[in-house]
Amino acid sequence: QVQLVESGGGLMQPGGSLRLSCAAPRTITSVFNPSLMAWYRQAAGLERELVASISSGGNTDYADSVKGRFTISRDNARKRVYLQMNNLKAEDTAVYYCSRQLGSQIYWGQGTQVTVSS
């Protein structure tokens, strides 16, 4: 069963912006709300890396490579998490994955491709 559904990826020129969205349609609110939500990415030939995370209380953390350019947010009522990506660079090209973690259980989405190229 698909737990998380990402959308919003695509092709963008360097310097442009994209907004990724992640929905958790099969997760009840009482489970979604306390979950740690995060975005990871995996570029071709590289390991998956953490891009940004947001706690149930709204505390955020970012990879150094995206600080000041990306913003993670969550809407608990809609059970969604977002990643606003500004000033995109070629090195941001990757498959972006949404994750939900509660305790020791981690769930992943299927990923959405982001390609930054002129």
Side-chain angles (χ1 to χ4, degrees):
Q1 291 183 344
V2 176
Q3 294 285 334
L4 300 169
V5 181
E6 302 101 332
S7 61
L11 174 64
M12 179 55 64
Q13 293 184 342
S17 297
L18 283 173
R19 188 192 194 207
L20 305 184
S21 178
C22 172
R26 298 184 180 274
T27 304
I28 59 176
T29 301
S30 61
V31 173
F32 181 88
N33 288 358
S35 295
L36 175 69
M37 302 300 298
W39 287 96
Y40 287 74
R41 68 185 179 187
Q42 187 168 17
L46 299 179
E47 293 187 353
R48 190 172 299 189
E49 64 173 355
L50 176 66
V51 175
S53 65
I54 184 166
S55 70
S56 58
N59 293 319
T60 58
D61 191 27
Y62 297 93
D64 288 343
S65 59
V66 306
K67 282 181 180 177
R69 300 189 298 122
F70 290 10
T71 301
I72 189 171
S73 61
R74 64 190 293 165
D75 183 338
N76 288 340
R78 299 185 65 189
K79 298 181 295 180
R80 287 180 177 267
V81 64
Y82 304 98
L83 185 68
Q84 178 67 42
M85 306 186 294
N86 297 328
N87 190 21
L88 284 162
K89 303 177 181 181
E91 50 264 41
D92 295 319
T93 295
V95 178
Y96 284 70
Y97 297 91
C98 176
S99 75
R100 181 179 70 79
Q101 182 176 355
L102 187 61
S104 62
Q105 290 187 314
I106 302 176
Y107 297 93
W108 297 92
Q110 81 287 352
T112 184
Q113 176 71 46
V114 172
T115 303
V116 184
S117 175
S118 55

